[in-house]
Amino acid sequence: MSAPDPVQMLVEQWLKFARADLNAGWTLSVNRATNSPETACFHAQQAAEKAIKALLVKAQVSSSKSHDLSNLANLVPSRFSNARNLPSLAGLIPYAVATRYPIAHAGNPMHLDAGPTWDEADNALALAERTIRAVEADLS
């Protein structure tokens, strides 16, 4: 019996966390009355980021602790064509930090209502879901 592949184990952990963030975001969206679209958007960004990082681990491409999905996606080798052909993930980047604090939306506490809508959150979650599926297809 051979020892487990540590790279594959780490890839699977990244994907497990990506799926958990996606599930959390959809759960928030389904239960809108007691939740916020900002938090759902945060989970969408995290899901996409963790999925992309799973590919980078598999490719043995080092990445920083960046939340910049555009930069991370640019590091994905061309052989991972499903992930390379995703629509731009740049729209998810602000959700990594800006949605976490009330005054971050517009940089002004008077504009607290300028955060994402539920429609935007659902679109972000759908993009995160497509990202995870693309990554899984590239890894299969």
Side-chain angles (χ1 to χ4, degrees), residues 3-11 57:
D5 178 0
V7 171
Q8 186 59 34
M9 290 173 59
L10 187 54
V11 167
V57 167

mmCIF file of all heavy atoms in Angstrom, residues 3-11 57:
data_model
loop_
_atom_site.group_PDB
_atom_site.id
_atom_site.type_symbol
_atom_site.label_atom_id
_atom_site.label_comp_id
_atom_site.label_asym_id
_atom_site.label_seq_id
_atom_site.Cartn_x
_atom_site.Cartn_y
_atom_site.Cartn_z
ATOM 1 N N ALA A 3 1.829 5.312 0.275
ATOM 2 C CA ALA A 3 1.470 6.427 1.154
ATOM 3 C C ALA A 3 0.589 7.414 0.390
ATOM 4 O O ALA A 3 0.719 7.567 -0.822
ATOM 5 C CB ALA A 3 2.732 7.125 1.645
ATOM 6 N N PRO A 4 -0.318 8.074 1.090
ATOM 7 C CA PRO A 4 -1.161 9.077 0.424
ATOM 8 C C PRO A 4 -0.293 10.190 -0.167
ATOM 9 O O PRO A 4 0.729 10.578 0.401
ATOM 10 C CB PRO A 4 -2.048 9.616 1.540
ATOM 11 C CG PRO A 4 -1.896 8.686 2.683
ATOM 12 C CD PRO A 4 -0.610 7.946 2.497
ATOM 13 N N ASP A 5 -0.716 10.709 -1.296
ATOM 14 C CA ASP A 5 -0.017 11.803 -1.955
ATOM 15 C C ASP A 5 -0.339 13.102 -1.213
ATOM 16 O O ASP A 5 -1.496 13.552 -1.208
ATOM 17 C CB ASP A 5 -0.477 11.876 -3.407
ATOM 18 C CG ASP A 5 0.144 13.023 -4.184
ATOM 19 O OD1 ASP A 5 0.943 13.789 -3.610
ATOM 20 O OD2 ASP A 5 -0.189 13.169 -5.366
ATOM 21 N N PRO A 6 0.682 13.721 -0.584
ATOM 22 C CA PRO A 6 0.407 14.935 0.201
ATOM 23 C C PRO A 6 -0.109 16.099 -0.655
ATOM 24 O O PRO A 6 -0.920 16.896 -0.182
ATOM 25 C CB PRO A 6 1.746 15.275 0.848
ATOM 26 C CG PRO A 6 2.766 14.481 0.109
ATOM 27 C CD PRO A 6 2.083 13.327 -0.529
ATOM 28 N N VAL A 7 0.319 16.186 -1.904
ATOM 29 C CA VAL A 7 -0.179 17.257 -2.778
ATOM 30 C C VAL A 7 -1.665 17.046 -3.053
ATOM 31 O O VAL A 7 -2.471 17.968 -2.933
ATOM 32 C CB VAL A 7 0.630 17.324 -4.096
ATOM 33 C CG1 VAL A 7 -0.027 18.273 -5.090
ATOM 34 C CG2 VAL A 7 2.063 17.749 -3.818
ATOM 35 N N GLN A 8 -2.036 15.810 -3.387
ATOM 36 C CA GLN A 8 -3.440 15.518 -3.663
ATOM 37 C C GLN A 8 -4.300 15.744 -2.419
ATOM 38 O O GLN A 8 -5.416 16.241 -2.515
ATOM 39 C CB GLN A 8 -3.612 14.083 -4.182
ATOM 40 C CG GLN A 8 -5.026 13.765 -4.614
ATOM 41 C CD GLN A 8 -5.547 14.672 -5.717
ATOM 42 O OE1 GLN A 8 -4.805 15.112 -6.595
ATOM 43 N NE2 GLN A 8 -6.833 14.974 -5.674
ATOM 44 N N MET A 9 -3.770 15.391 -1.265
ATOM 45 C CA MET A 9 -4.518 15.616 -0.020
ATOM 46 C C MET A 9 -4.770 17.108 0.198
ATOM 47 O O MET A 9 -5.869 17.506 0.602
ATOM 48 C CB MET A 9 -3.767 15.009 1.167
ATOM 49 C CG MET A 9 -3.781 13.486 1.151
ATOM 50 S SD MET A 9 -2.741 12.752 2.435
ATOM 51 C CE MET A 9 -3.459 13.409 3.909
ATOM 52 N N LEU A 10 -3.774 17.933 -0.089
ATOM 53 C CA LEU A 10 -3.926 19.381 0.084
ATOM 54 C C LEU A 10 -4.911 19.943 -0.946
ATOM 55 O O LEU A 10 -5.743 20.796 -0.614
ATOM 56 C CB LEU A 10 -2.567 20.070 -0.025
ATOM 57 C CG LEU A 10 -2.531 21.564 0.289
ATOM 58 C CD1 LEU A 10 -3.132 21.869 1.661
ATOM 59 C CD2 LEU A 10 -1.103 22.078 0.194
ATOM 60 N N VAL A 11 -4.844 19.457 -2.175
ATOM 61 C CA VAL A 11 -5.802 19.869 -3.206
ATOM 62 C C VAL A 11 -7.219 19.570 -2.739
ATOM 63 O O VAL A 11 -8.124 20.414 -2.839
ATOM 64 C CB VAL A 11 -5.502 19.163 -4.549
ATOM 65 C CG1 VAL A 11 -6.658 19.323 -5.530
ATOM 66 C CG2 VAL A 11 -4.207 19.677 -5.144
ATOM 67 N N VAL A 57 -2.040 24.540 -6.251
ATOM 68 C CA VAL A 57 -1.349 23.506 -5.472
ATOM 69 C C VAL A 57 -1.067 22.302 -6.365
ATOM 70 O O VAL A 57 0.043 21.770 -6.370
ATOM 71 C CB VAL A 57 -2.170 23.095 -4.230
ATOM 72 C CG1 VAL A 57 -1.630 21.828 -3.591
ATOM 73 C CG2 VAL A 57 -2.187 24.235 -3.214
#
